Amino acid sequence: MLHSSADTSRTDDASTETEIVALIPAAGIGSRMKSGCPKQYLDIAGKTILEHTLAALFEHPRVQRIVVALNPADTHFEKLAVASDPRITTVVGGEERADSVLAGLDYLTSLQTEKSIWVLVHDAARPCLHRHDLDNLLRLIEQNTDPHGMCGGLLASPVRDTMKRMISAEVRGSSNTHAVSQTVDRNGLWHALTPQLFPLPLLRDCLSKSLAERACITDESSALEYCGYHPILVNGRADNIKVTQPEDLALAEFYLSRKSKESIV
């Protein structure tokens, strides 16, 4: 069975009223990678992508626990050395990303704690997260002086490229049926990244409502948006890429090697 119990003891001061828990939906099969295993288990720079992702989160001292939502048929995670880390708990994920996130939220809700839990939802295949970005995102918690005010936020980067809207069209002598409808004004457009940070009860309520009403939910922020909230955009590094296509592997390896050199300097 995939569900395991993590040590819930904390190493920080007992007076701390807020706990940061990272949640990684990792139940996808990564069909676009066209590989023999889910993309999060592909090797780059000496480790699997998922191991790099976990390490990037644990680099921050405020992240003391991570919940990983796995596919019920997953046979790869248990073979990783990190699987025995007592700070990691696994839960059974769902068919869609939102289902996996909700499974992790349900697990965290079942824990008996007097602390206020904020959840960092991070993509399993986004291994190049920088500590500085995570610092900036977590500052939102300190800014949350009004319990009815700021609802959380997400790392994001402004769109730099010219954006085109597509239409279907017949192109003579070509199998391509996509054509440009119009150029979209990129002012005010941002690429949504992860982690995305929200209070546990609020994120769980919004995600549950969105799923029950069959809303189009592509990330956690969209669930809060559907429920009328306005998450804060925190400017993040554009090299915090998500490995989706085969060509992303070399780029992620380059960014990881550069990140390693930066940490040494």
Side-chain angles (χ1 to χ4, degrees):
M1 186 169 77
L2 291 176
H3 193 281
S4 61
S5 296
D7 182 1
T8 59
S9 62
R10 295 297 310 280
T11 57
D12 55 348
D13 188 86
S15 64
T16 301
E17 297 180 354
T18 301
E19 181 176 3
I20 310 299
V21 180
L23 171 56
I24 301 179
I29 59 174
S31 58
R32 282 178 287 181
M33 286 297 298
K34 299 179 180 179
S35 63
C37 67
K39 61 187 176 184
Q40 60 266 28
Y41 296 115
L42 294 174
D43 287 321
I44 56 172
K47 297 179 181 179
T48 64
I49 292 173
L50 180 56
E51 287 175 300
H52 284 293
T53 300
L54 292 167
L57 289 165
F58 276 140
E59 281 179 5
H60 201 288
R62 295 197 67 182
V63 179
Q64 295 292 319
R65 175 163 39 175
I66 297 178
V67 177
V68 184
L70 299 175
N71 190 295
D74 188 300
T75 59
H76 301 278
F77 185 81
E78 62 186 16
K79 299 175 184 178
L80 302 180
V82 75
S84 61
D85 191 317
R87 298 172 296 176
I88 297 175
T89 297
T90 61
V91 297
V92 176
E95 185 173 343
E96 302 293 337
R97 173 197 174 92
D99 299 318
S100 293
V101 172
L102 188 57
L105 299 176
D106 286 344
Y107 166 74
L108 291 172
T109 302
S110 72
L111 301 178
Q112 293 186 353
T113 177
E114 296 180 357
K115 297 182 183 295
S116 172
I117 296 179
W118 282 67
V119 182
L120 277 169
V121 184
H122 190 47
D123 295 325
R126 205 179 284 273
C128 304
L129 175 66
H130 279 253
R131 165 70 182 271
H132 180 70
D133 277 2
L134 196 46
D135 281 337
N136 289 339
L137 183 63
L138 291 177
R139 286 194 185 99
L140 293 179
I141 298 175
E142 280 64 49
Q143 298 169 9
N144 189 44
T145 56
D146 179 0
H148 302 292
M150 195 274 298
C151 62
L154 64 151
L155 290 180
S157 63
V159 170
R160 297 177 175 88
D161 301 314
T162 298
M163 304 298 290
K164 304 291 186 181
R165 188 176 301 281
M166 180 202 76
I167 59 170
S168 297
E170 293 295 332
V171 180
R172 182 175 297 177
S174 172
S175 60
N176 191 347
T177 59
H178 297 158
V180 174
S181 168
Q182 66 183 98
T183 298
V184 179
D185 184 0
R186 69 186 174 199
N187 290 326
L189 295 181
W190 291 60
H191 293 287
L193 309 174
T194 68
Q196 302 192 2
L197 175 70
F198 302 105
L200 169 59
L202 179 62
L203 178 55
R204 184 170 180 260
D205 288 347
C206 290
L207 195 56
S208 297
K209 175 179 173 64
S210 301
L211 290 174
E213 297 180 3
R214 300 184 180 277
C216 179
I217 301 302
T218 56
D219 65 357
E220 292 64 53
S221 176
S222 61
L224 270 81
E225 295 159 32
Y226 178 77
C227 294
Y229 294 91
H230 301 282
I232 302 298
L233 292 167
V234 177
N235 203 329
R237 295 175 57 130
D239 58 2
N240 181 14
I241 65 169
K242 183 178 181 181
V243 178
T244 304
Q245 306 287 351
E247 58 267 28
D248 297 332
L249 290 170
L251 186 58
E253 186 164 13
F254 169 74
Y255 286 146
L256 285 169
S257 65
R258 190 176 67 177
K259 178 184 173 185
S260 178
K261 292 177 183 178
E262 290 175 353
S263 64
I264 295 174
V265 174

